Amino acid sequence: MLVIDVYQQYFAADGVWNGVPRHGASVKLTATSDAGMITYETSVSFFPHNDPEDFAVSYDAYFSKVLTEGKGRRSKKKDAACLEMVRDAVNELAGTAGSTVCWEQPLTEARYG
């Protein structure tokens, strides 16, 4: 099984989970390839981010959604198509958590794998 983080970026966020205010969000797009099958999954994890150096991600506020899965391999075309779905999917996940990702306030540069 091959697991690759296609995209990851940290953003400012707003929410409370388990009584703890969350000011940061880690957003990812992950591709998992195994036995001729490919799965693209997006995830968001809300974490405290109480100061500019605090990137200690806590996974008690972690949410994920499979965007697509099927036969085939990872490709730039599939990566691009799934990247276009990330914001809407993460906004949906954040809504179920009563939280918001502040897309206009990135905390880091995007990383692509």
Side-chain angles (χ1 to χ4, degrees), residues 8-13 24-30 41-47 57-65 86-87 89-97 99-103:
Q8 181 179 19
Q9 191 168 9
Y10 292 90
F11 293 90
S26 171
V27 176
K28 284 185 177 184
L29 173 63
T30 305
E41 179 179 27
T42 191
S43 63
V44 59
S45 183
F46 295 96
F47 60 100
V57 176
S58 53
Y59 289 96
D60 63 335
Y62 173 87
F63 307 91
S64 65
K65 179 179 181 176
V86 167
R87 282 195 183 199
V90 168
N91 284 338
E92 180 184 324
L93 293 168
T96 64
S99 302
T100 305
V101 175
C102 303
W103 298 105

Side-chain angles (χ1 to χ4, degrees), residues 30-95:
T30 305
T32 304
S33 179
D34 188 30
M37 299 293 288
I38 185 80
T39 302
Y40 283 90
E41 179 179 27
T42 191
S43 63
V44 59
S45 183
F46 295 96
F47 60 100
H49 193 63
N50 291 320
D51 65 61
E53 302 297 317
D54 179 15
F55 286 89
V57 176
S58 53
Y59 289 96
D60 63 335
Y62 173 87
F63 307 91
S64 65
K65 179 179 181 176
V66 172
L67 299 177
T68 184
E69 60 186 338
K71 291 184 179 182
R73 302 183 309 165
R74 180 179 174 215
S75 69
K76 289 182 181 183
K77 184 177 178 181
K78 289 177 186 175
D79 285 2
C82 289
L83 274 169
E84 289 183 16
M85 294 187 268
V86 167
R87 282 195 183 199
D88 288 341
V90 168
N91 284 338
E92 180 184 324
L93 293 168

